[in-house]
Amino acid sequence: MMPSSVPSFAELLGQCERSAVHLELRDSYAPTDRFEAWKRGERINWEDRESWWHPYDQLIADTVARGVVIRRARVISEPVSDYIRWEHYVTRANITAGEEVRWLPRRRATSIPLPGNDFWLFDGALLRVHHFSGDGAVVEDEITADPEAVKLCSAAFEAVWERAIPHHLYKI
């Protein structure tokens, strides 16, 4: 499916009624200005919510307020990359918005059949699969309701979630 024909994340989340789960499998993604600032030593003033609260955070908060459970699991290598160290730091925003987040060290994932790509799964039925270049830039997103892909991704997420460490307990 061409990227222009893929519904936006906001549209997909807006149609979601029960659950949205996100599995991340990479140790780094394309650098952002926020990541580069963090690497220079800049830190977020968590007390000044207006300075860090983004439209994404509001979308998540609004969706959770409708009763949708949003869970994110990250499979990561240890020792962690700088990018993962930064993600762990900024996950406070995800948690504040209402996401549940867990971390699974890759060595504990060996016996889990994992898909080859990061994904979002909406209401256990519709996948938004992320395709990345080698340097972590998004190449395109693909939407599918293929029953086999949905089954694999759902089972993989649940297996990761069961073994993963809740954010507040995972120390870097």
Side-chain angles (χ1 to χ4, degrees), residues 7-38:
S8 72
F9 178 72
E11 290 174 273
L12 293 168
L13 208 53
Q15 297 165 6
C16 196
E17 297 177 358
R18 296 177 314 282
S19 68
V21 300
H22 186 36
L23 184 61
E24 296 179 21
L25 301 167
R26 298 179 57 91
D27 287 319
S28 67
Y29 296 86
T32 65
D33 290 342
R34 290 177 35 190
F35 173 58
E36 295 300 329
W38 177 85

Side-chain angles (χ1 to χ4, degrees), residues 124-146:
L126 184 66
L127 280 169
R128 182 180 177 126
V129 179
H130 303 300
H131 298 285
F132 294 96
S133 64
D135 64 359
V138 174
V139 174
E140 74 174 319
D141 287 332
E142 171 188 4
I143 299 294
T144 183
D146 173 69

Side-chain angles (χ1 to χ4, degrees), residues 21 29 43 54 58 64 71 73 77 91 97 103 106 114 138 149 164 170 172:
V21 300
Y29 296 86
R43 296 298 179 258
H54 294 277
Q58 191 61 53
V64 169
R71 297 181 293 159
S77 300
T91 293
W103 304 82
R106 196 171 305 281
L114 294 170
V138 174
Y170 186 70
I172 290 187

Side-chain angles (χ1 to χ4, degrees), residues 76-119:
I76 55 167
S77 300
E78 292 179 317
V80 299
S81 67
D82 281 347
Y83 194 94
I84 294 300
R85 193 175 310 284
W86 171 73
E87 272 196 332
H88 189 270
Y89 173 72
V90 297
T91 293
R92 181 170 175 176
N94 300 83
I95 300 292
T96 301
E99 285 188 32
E100 298 174 41
V101 179
R102 293 188 181 179
W103 304 82
L104 182 65
R106 196 171 305 281
R107 70 178 179 276
R108 295 172 60 182
T110 302
S111 62
I112 300 173
L114 294 170
N117 300 294
D118 291 13
F119 65 84

